[in-house]
Amino acid sequence: MKKMMLIILSLFLLGSTVFASGQQEEPKKEDAKSKEPAKAEVVSINKEISSPVTVEFWHGMSAKLGETVELLADEFNQTIGAEKGITVVPVFQGGYTDLKQKLTASIKAGTAPVISQGYSNYIAEFMQADVVVALNDYIYDSEVGIKDFEDIFPGYRAENCQIDGKTFYSLPFNKSTEVIFYNKTFFEENGYEVPKTWDEMSALCKTIYEKTGKPGMGYDSLDNYMITMIQQFGGKYTDAQGNIYYSQNDAAVKAINLFKENFDKGYWRIAGEDKYLSGPFGNADVYMYIGSTAGASYVKPNGFEWDSAPIPYVSADKKAAIQQGTNVFLMNQNKSDEEVYAGYEFIKYLVSKDANFIWSTNTGYLPIRKSVVESPEYKKFLATTTDTTKISGPAQGDYYFYEPGFFTPNYSSYDVRVSLRAAVEDALLNGTDAKTAVDTAYGKLK
Amino acid sequence: MSIIEGRNTARGTVAAWVYLLPALIIISVFVFYPLIMAFRMSMYESYNFYKNVGTGFGFASFKRVLCDSDFHIAVKNTLFLSFVAMPVSIIISLVIALLISSIKKFQALFQTFFFLPYVTSVIAVGIVFRWLFHSNYGLINYFLGLFHIHPVAWLNNPKTTIYALAIYYIWGNLAFNTIILLVGVQNIPKMYYNAARVDGAKWGKIIFRITLPQLSPTIIFLTIVGFIASFKVYNEVYALFGDLGGAANSAYTIVFYIYRTFYGAGRMHIAAAAAVILFVAILCITIIQMLVSKKFVHYK
Amino acid sequence: MEIRLENIQKKFSSVVAVHDMNIRIKDGSLTGLLGPSGCGKSTTLFMIAGLYAPTAGNIFFGDEAVTLLPPEKRGIGLVFQNYALYPHMTVLKNILFPLENMKIPKKEALKMAEEMADIVQIRDLLDRKPSQLSGGQQQRVAIARALVKKARVLLLDEPLSNLDARLRLETREEIRRIQKETGITTIYVTHDQEEAMSITDDIVLMDKGWIQQQDSPQQMYLNPGNQFTAEFLGNPPVNIIDGKITDSVLVVCGEKLCGFDGVEDQPVVVGIRPEAVLIGNGDIKASVRLIEIVGKDKIISLDLKGCLIRAIVSLDYDCNVEELLSFSVKHSGVFLFDKTTGARIKGFAS
């Protein structure tokens, strides 16, 4: 016993010396912070590849998506890459959760890849390590810049420079939005119209429930429901600096109550144990669901036809639909300027019209460029595909909003999203009062 | 203090340290260093994990963890697993081990059969269990239906998720516990049973007075290992509920909380504080267990 | 309690461990079940105990058929080879265990246990765990546990095999004392003929699952029923030599050993007890091949025209190897056995 105490005590002693040294390091952080703005002002960038370089592209795209990533990388390596001496190696790291873990670990170990896929909150977090490359000098460069940058939809551009409204730390890659998936056969048999407003939605689901005993609609991502509905009810969610606004108005409470009223009566449902509603929808256990356009390929209707439509709105002047999906960004941790430049050339290719056409026609993701949407090839593709989200998704393009990604010492955008999901679940499943649930969620963050 | 009396010479001590050095280096790098860093991280109010720089020295992170309602759920669930699910698992395993050891034919077959879960992937089995627990299509509710019990929304209802998790956890532990107990049962010399029969003991008495006392070192081993394991449950949560942690976070365990806080939210210092709390809790429980078990266990 | 085994047989799958066995064990006697390992003696004991069910035959305790009774209903006490004391219980708890199962009130049980402890003289060890006892002490505890429930029969399975030589002597006397003191019918399994000879009233000798002979130790030694019995009993063992009877004379290695009446002329196996070889007294001549000293005795191996005959003499008898000695045989120590069956051929040495 005495020995054990001795060991524990000495551990504490050792620990305290480390604390002391840690505190001495503090000023460095201030230095790092003050350097940041200067970074954006660096004028000279390297645009030469002196000897062939190979860079990794870490992504979380599996199956068909992964194959398309490989296809794009091959295409790049054989054309631009071959010309400039760049080889891009895509590395599949598992789902987003795994990708994030592995990125965290690799940055900590000093071996981060040059190019990675990631949500804006990853980027916000990795900014702490000073490894994320600001892209403005590349994008706006007269030689190697992106000439038709304005062709990318404004919503996507805004998301990728959200930190200060002008500095780009990433470029949009696999983008999707939410739409209503509905059972077209069932709707036609009963003469139902796809609801345009939430009032219509509630009314229709009541009718469906009374007729079939099954819920009319389900919502895949309760986080997205909350973020979207806070906008639709005229509230504000957060900003990119990490200020939280949803607690200052009743939009969040209204959103929860709307769901709760319908949920309690059995008109609406959540994914819950099914994880995604594409399954129950395919089995006609629910006749509509709101989910990501990227999930269209998982809809396997069992003896009916399906269609999609834009999500409902509260009032026509406050339409809002989330634009989601990850972006691509560059990291320069222990990497040469040439490698970073090579990475830039690849992400520039990924957002190019050609690559984005290949990407959005081979996967469930949506075009990020106006020119792709308007191209005759894309129109031809739309005529042949059964995936109507390719139409209903972009139809919401005028009122896309994005979820700000940020990282503060006490909470990140991820925490805000997760706590709101917990709040709505708490209200639906535990019967907690909506206001209390929202306050609890907000209280957790502070 | 020295184990081998009379060998406690200076030369002997140096030699001992040299022999220990490789192990010490490995332990220092992989155990002590991370431990110290975790302690250190937990003592900051905010922390840049990538640069190992923190600000605001103090217990703020601990306070945050201890006030977090998700952590409260995590602690409650973890305690439920440790004090209810784990003992239940051992009791069921004990019954199975006794049954298997009492049959003569096909014993090896059953032994293999019960060991299968141990070599099956937790995640794969989790998918199967998700279907078993499904409120509409699940076999469990189907069986409950046969007894006119209303279907339970095991995975949807925040009040039942912990039971689903516990059932899954118990099942997952049966294999290991059963095999270890079976070996324990088979190692009890047959003469004690013969003696007990001659002494006129009925089977119930034989089990409680002969088998269980003889198994007590095995049982205490499983309890200690089980306790520590149940404090570290994470895979099971992930397998049943994905990375969301169940309806309204109701299936959180302490390690799942740490994981979510670390990788999901990227708040490493908070995760570290939770980890330190867990470390201290396990340490205390283990010490208590050691002290208590000395009283009740018969070691040969 | 008299014990009778009638036509008892025990098969383990296809192996027959005990063949058609008929024995009667006298009330209050200490009977030894003797035989080499694998002879079926422990199997027989376990059948009497009720731990094994016989394949055929009946077991009676007095007039009561117990063949189908479980061990606890037979009123037996069994002491195992390794004692099988419950290691997690104290000595007292071990002794109390059978009483506990008989639902005897605590107070009374305690009294009975203490009485028993007095008989086997372990009163001061009651609070110890078995692992804190010596082998002999464990033995006593095992006996106490076996007897405490007022057993009608005490069964001992190789009770001395785990003790060292000195303790063995002491303990067997102790067992004898306890048996006499309680007067309990006791069956004692052993492979050690000396042990059996020294304490039992009666010996059942077994080999390969068959009974060879049942008799008192002395009778069995002096009057073996067959070659196996003669060979198994006695140390140094009996001399076994080929011989033949010609005109009522026993001839061994071409030398006339003694006259033998009532036996037809035939080749025989001759058994001569070493102590029946009387050296220096007679006219048969043989040379000394080997001299061994065993404790207080000297064993001389004599070469009688190529046949080796061991003789036992006292330690102070002086002779040298190669020395020519004359001897005769004591007639009561010479047995004849059938060459093929090993059965005793009775006759009168003269």
Side-chain angles (χ1 to χ4, degrees):
Chain A
M1 225 38 221
K2 264 187 194 161
K3 236 182 184 172
M4 176 90 92
M5 293 299 290
L6 207 74
I7 290 171
I8 293 171
L9 278 176
S10 49
L11 272 181
F12 274 112
L13 211 73
L14 257 172
S16 54
T17 56
V18 183
F19 288 120
S21 67
Q23 274 171 327
Q24 283 164 359
E25 283 174 43
E26 265 173 48
K28 278 190 197 162
K29 197 194 176 190
E30 300 304 315
D31 289 351
K33 248 190 183 169
S34 55
K35 261 184 210 161
E36 258 168 44
K39 210 170 195 178
E41 288 156 24
V42 173
V43 203
S44 64
I45 54 158
N46 176 68
K47 306 172 214 170
E48 296 295 322
I49 305 282
S50 50
S51 60
V53 292
T54 300
V55 291
E56 284 189 357
F57 170 41
W58 286 16
H59 65 89
M61 304 275 90
S62 60
K64 171 81 171 140
L65 301 176
E67 285 167 29
T68 313
V69 168
E70 298 278 346
L71 180 86
L72 289 173
D74 284 348
E75 193 73 29
F76 173 83
N77 289 340
Q78 281 161 24
T79 55
I80 306 163
E83 189 188 305
K84 302 204 177 208
I86 304 167
T87 309
V88 171
V89 182
V91 184
F92 173 60
Q93 298 288 6
Y96 289 137
T97 315
D98 292 329
L99 176 65
K100 165 94 192 295
Q101 279 182 29
K102 286 176 185 169
L103 282 172
T104 302
S106 72
I107 294 171
K108 184 71 185 170
T111 57
V114 173
I115 320 161
S116 178
Q117 204 184 4
Y119 284 110
S120 49
N121 69 305
Y122 297 8
I123 296 166
E125 186 181 328
F126 300 152
M127 297 281 274
Q128 287 187 102
D130 292 338
V131 293
V132 184
V133 179
L135 301 172
N136 288 29
D137 293 335
Y138 293 98
I139 296 170
Y140 297 116
D141 186 86
S142 53
E143 277 174 65
V144 302
I146 301 173
K147 303 273 149 29
D148 48 0
F149 194 55
E150 308 296 313
D151 183 36
I152 297 173
F153 288 117
Y156 294 136
R157 275 182 285 137
E159 187 205 353
N160 286 290
C161 66
Q162 57 177 292
I163 289 175
D164 59 359
K166 56 178 197 262
T167 314
F168 286 86
Y169 285 99
S170 54
L171 291 174
F173 175 49
N174 55 323
K175 287 300 178 184
S176 61
T177 185
E178 288 185 324
V179 292
I180 305 178
F181 294 81
Y182 66 95
N183 187 323
K184 194 177 166 192
T185 311
F186 178 77
F187 270 56
E188 278 170 1
E189 277 168 9
N190 293 282
Y192 297 147
E193 296 248 336
V194 182
K196 290 195 174 56
T197 67
W198 287 105
D199 286 341
E200 287 173 28
M201 174 63 88
S202 301
L204 176 62
C205 290
K206 182 170 187 276
T207 312
I208 292 175
Y209 178 78
E210 280 160 2
K211 181 183 166 64
T212 64
K214 290 177 186 174
M217 191 275 288
Y219 212 114
D220 251 348
S221 163
L222 292 176
D223 333 18
N224 280 355
Y225 170 81
M226 287 306 293
I227 298 167
T228 306
M229 295 310 286
I230 286 170
Q231 313 275 333
Q232 289 205 7
F233 277 115
K236 192 176 174 192
Y237 178 57
T238 67
D239 63 22
Q241 282 66 49
N243 297 306
I244 299 171
Y245 300 103
Y246 73 74
S247 59
Q248 295 166 8
N249 51 62
D250 58 357
V253 175
K254 279 184 182 165
I256 291 180
N257 278 330
L258 174 65
F259 207 114
K260 192 168 157 57
E261 280 160 26
N262 288 283
F263 181 83
D264 287 349
K265 291 176 188 145
Y267 304 162
W268 293 3
R269 62 163 287 180
I270 59 173
E273 61 195 343
D274 292 300
K275 283 198 164 178
Y276 294 101
L277 285 159
S278 47
F281 176 73
N283 288 334
D285 283 337
V286 62
Y287 295 99
M288 283 180 275
Y289 83 93
I290 294 177
S292 168
T293 53
S297 63
Y298 295 99
V299 176
K300 304 255 156 47
N302 193 357
F304 63 86
E305 275 184 55
W306 67 273
D307 202 348
S308 65
I311 66 164
Y313 49 84
V314 173
S315 59
D317 59 327
K318 282 192 191 121
K319 287 182 177 180
I322 196 164
Q323 59 105 336
Q324 57 182 6
T326 67
N327 308 307
V328 282
F329 61 101
L330 300 181
M331 285 174 285
N332 58 3
Q333 192 180 30
N334 301 322
K335 295 287 187 296
S336 70
D337 290 348
E338 292 192 5
E339 287 172 298
V340 174
Y341 171 64
Y344 164 71
E345 279 295 338
F346 182 65
I347 60 171
K348 177 178 147 191
Y349 168 73
L350 282 186
V351 299
S352 70
K353 189 185 168 193
D354 290 349
N356 188 236
F357 175 78
I358 295 173
W359 180 245
S360 54
T361 53
N362 278 284
T363 68
Y365 292 102
L366 302 174
I368 56 163
R369 279 177 177 271
K370 210 170 176 182
S371 58
V372 173
V373 176
E374 287 170 355
S375 68
E377 295 92 338
Y378 191 72
K379 287 188 172 130
K380 218 167 99 190
F381 162 75
L382 290 183
T384 57
T385 181
T386 55
D387 179 2
T388 60
T389 64
K390 296 282 184 197
I391 301 163
S392 57
Q396 306 178 112
D398 293 341
Y399 47 88
Y400 275 165
F401 73 93
Y402 66 88
E403 174 201 357
F406 55 81
F407 188 88
T408 76
N410 286 329
Y411 56 85
S412 66
S413 51
Y414 170 89
D415 293 311
V416 182
R417 145 188 285 271
V418 165
S419 68
L420 269 179
R421 176 187 54 79
V424 64
E425 283 181 347
D426 196 20
L428 297 180
L429 303 168
N430 287 331
T432 308
D433 168 65
K435 179 89 177 81
T436 316
V438 170
D439 289 346
T440 311
Y442 181 68
K444 261 187 210 171
L445 303 171
K446 284 291 154 181
Chain B
M1 282 303 278
S2 80
I3 295 166
I4 309 163
E5 295 292 343
R7 285 292 206 105
N8 201 1
T9 58
R11 234 176 103 192
T13 311
V14 170
W17 279 106
V18 171
Y19 289 137
L20 280 173
L21 204 60
L24 280 177
I25 290 172
I26 290 170
I27 290 174
S28 309
V29 171
F30 292 103
V31 179
F32 289 131
Y33 178 71
L35 207 65
I36 292 165
M37 288 310 279
F39 268 101
R40 181 181 166 233
M41 257 156 82
S42 69
M43 295 298 287
Y44 287 109
E45 273 169 35
S46 79
Y47 191 81
N48 185 331
F49 173 68
Y50 300 99
K51 294 184 165 173
N52 290 337
V53 176
T55 49
F57 188 81
F59 288 96
S61 301
F62 288 95
K63 203 182 146 204
R64 264 187 88 93
V65 171
L66 293 172
C67 292
D68 189 342
S69 60
D70 287 342
F71 188 72
H72 299 163
I73 297 175
V75 169
K76 228 165 69 189
N77 286 344
T78 305
L79 291 179
F80 184 81
L81 292 178
S82 314
F83 288 95
V84 180
M86 194 270 295
V88 167
S89 169
I90 291 182
I91 291 169
I92 296 176
S93 299
L94 193 61
V95 172
I96 295 173
L98 291 174
L99 288 177
I100 291 181
S101 66
S102 67
I103 55 170
K104 293 203 175 74
K105 278 183 186 169
F106 306 120
Q107 191 168 331
L109 189 78
F110 277 102
Q111 223 163 304
T112 316
F113 204 64
F114 276 92
F115 197 63
L116 276 181
Y118 192 70
V119 291
T120 318
S121 140
V122 177
I123 300 296
V125 175
I127 293 170
V128 174
F129 262 80
R130 263 197 348 246
W131 277 107
L132 290 177
F133 281 123
H134 197 281
S135 54
N136 290 333
Y137 304 112
L139 265 182
I140 295 178
N141 277 342
Y142 172 78
F143 280 113
L144 291 181
L146 296 181
F147 300 101
H148 302 288
I149 298 171
H150 279 290
V152 178
W154 293 101
L155 303 181
N156 273 353
N157 185 343
K159 290 179 187 67
T160 54
T161 46
I162 179 62
Y163 300 113
L165 182 63
I167 291 172
Y168 178 45
Y169 176 73
I170 289 170
W171 185 86
N173 278 296
L174 283 187
F176 180 72
N177 289 350
T178 305
I179 289 302
I180 298 292
L181 284 168
L182 194 58
V183 172
V185 171
Q186 286 165 345
N187 274 341
I188 300 175
K190 213 168 173 298
M191 61 175 178
Y192 295 133
Y193 292 111
N194 280 336
R197 276 177 67 198
V198 170
D199 288 342
K202 299 278 181 305
W203 72 266
K205 191 140 204 175
I206 291 180
I207 284 173
F208 283 102
R209 295 294 300 276
I210 310 292
T211 313
L212 289 186
Q214 287 286 309
L215 275 182
S216 58
T218 311
I219 293 173
I220 207 74
F221 161 76
L222 287 178
T223 315
I224 292 177
V225 171
F227 246 114
I228 295 172
S230 64
F231 265 82
K232 297 199 288 193
V233 167
Y234 154 75
N235 275 337
E236 286 83 350
V237 183
Y238 193 89
L240 274 190
F241 303 100
D243 57 4
L244 294 180
N249 299 343
S250 58
Y252 265 45
T253 58
I254 296 179
V255 174
F256 193 81
Y257 177 91
I258 294 171
Y259 163 79
R260 282 283 297 225
T261 317
F262 191 95
Y263 279 117
R267 281 180 289 120
M268 285 55 173
H269 58 299
I270 307 280
V276 168
I277 294 172
L278 179 66
F279 172 76
V280 172
I282 291 182
L283 195 70
C284 290
I285 285 182
T286 310
I287 290 171
I288 293 170
Q289 248 177 348
M290 299 286 235
L291 295 177
V292 170
S293 66
K294 266 189 195 151
K295 252 187 151 163
F296 294 107
V297 183
H298 164 75
Y299 292 103
K300 273 167 205 161
Chain C
M1 184 66 50
E2 186 192 70
I3 299 169
R4 269 181 300 130
L5 271 58
E6 288 183 356
N7 306 101
I8 287 291
Q9 189 198 34
K10 179 69 186 174
K11 277 188 192 171
F12 289 110
S13 51
S14 63
V15 182
V16 182
V18 173
H19 298 271
D20 193 36
M21 186 177 208
N22 287 288
I23 50 175
R24 180 187 288 262
I25 285 156
K26 283 199 268 325
D27 183 26
S29 73
L30 173 55
T31 301
L33 261 180
L34 180 65
S37 35
C39 73
K41 56 192 189 299
S42 284
T43 307
T44 308
L45 189 79
F46 283 175
M47 282 192 285
I48 297 170
L51 291 172
Y52 291 166
T55 314
N58 283 306
I59 300 171
F60 294 92
F61 282 9
D63 294 328
E64 188 191 352
V66 297
T67 321
L68 298 174
L69 286 184
E72 69 270 17
K73 296 246 168 78
R74 294 192 179 191
I76 50 129
L78 178 56
V79 174
F80 291 85
Q81 190 166 357
N82 303 314
Y83 319 133
L85 296 178
Y86 310 120
H88 50 280
M89 300 184 196
T90 60
V91 167
L92 182 64
K93 289 253 171 72
N94 263 285
I95 300 174
L96 282 174
F97 192 65
L99 302 177
E100 210 177 289
N101 297 321
M102 291 163 76
K103 308 236 154 48
I104 289 173
K106 266 218 171 109
K107 255 191 174 162
E108 204 187 322
L110 201 63
K111 212 177 126 227
M112 288 166 79
E114 281 170 355
E115 273 171 25
M116 205 58 237
D118 283 337
I119 293 178
V120 300
Q121 297 167 355
I122 49 160
R123 185 68 185 258
D124 50 336
L125 304 175
L126 289 179
D127 292 330
R128 300 222 191 142
K129 288 274 179 74
S131 58
Q132 295 166 303
L133 303 181
S134 71
Q137 288 168 330
Q138 291 186 26
Q139 175 71 264
R140 290 162 193 248
V141 177
I143 293 173
R145 185 180 64 181
L147 292 181
V148 71
K149 55 193 165 181
K150 305 280 178 237
R152 303 186 286 181
V153 175
L154 175 61
L155 307 172
L156 302 158
D157 186 12
E158 304 257 10
L160 306 181
S161 59
N162 282 350
L163 303 179
D164 59 55
R166 183 180 289 271
L167 205 54
R168 227 176 265 183
L169 280 177
E170 213 173 279
T171 310
R172 78 187 187 201
E173 291 316 316
E174 186 65 17
I175 289 172
R176 184 64 174 161
R177 178 187 69 78
I178 295 166
Q179 196 267 331
K180 284 285 164 256
E181 206 169 311
T182 53
I184 187 168
T185 310
T186 303
I187 299 178
Y188 184 112
V189 165
T190 180
H191 63 270
D192 183 337
Q193 51 95 16
E194 211 179 317
E195 204 174 292
M197 303 269 284
S198 61
I199 64 165
T200 59
D201 301 319
D202 210 24
I203 291 178
V204 176
L205 181 65
M206 296 181 70
D207 184 39
K208 293 176 183 139
W210 295 98
I211 288 196
Q212 301 297 319
Q213 191 169 348
Q214 180 178 10
D215 227 327
S216 70
Q218 200 182 353
Q219 272 307 309
M220 195 173 278
Y221 185 79
L222 295 177
N223 200 8
N226 58 26
Q227 187 180 337
F228 175 82
T229 309
E231 280 186 87
F232 198 78
L233 299 183
N235 189 24
V238 69
N239 294 297
I240 296 290
I241 318 158
D242 278 337
K244 62 179 183 197
I245 299 286
T246 320
D247 297 332
S248 294
V249 173
L250 175 57
V251 180
V252 171
C253 301
E255 194 77 40
K256 285 180 189 167
L257 211 58
C258 60
F260 224 97
D261 290 335
V263 181
E264 285 176 31
D265 289 4
Q266 59 180 300
V268 291
V269 175
V270 185
I272 309 164
R273 293 276 182 216
E275 65 271 20
V277 180
L278 306 170
I279 289 175
N281 166 352
D283 46 12
I284 311 168
K285 296 260 187 304
S287 62
V288 176
R289 171 71 69 82
L290 187 69
I291 304 167
E292 294 164 87
I293 295 168
V294 180
K296 58 188 197 312
D297 296 320
K298 213 176 226 181
I299 295 166
I300 299 173
S301 298
L302 298 169
D303 189 340
L304 176 67
K305 293 188 176 163
C307 296
L308 270 191
I309 297 174
R310 279 182 306 274
I312 192 160
V313 292
S314 68
L315 203 53
D316 49 17
Y317 182 83
D318 242 358
C319 66
N320 295 314
V321 176
E322 304 288 322
E323 192 179 327
L324 208 63
L325 297 178
S326 60
F327 71 94
S328 65
V329 291
K330 199 165 119 192
H331 295 165
S332 63
V334 178
F335 317 116
L336 300 188
F337 304 106
D338 188 281
K339 259 207 121 133
T340 45
T341 63
R344 176 85 180 270
I345 300 167
K346 286 269 169 84
F348 310 98
S350 56

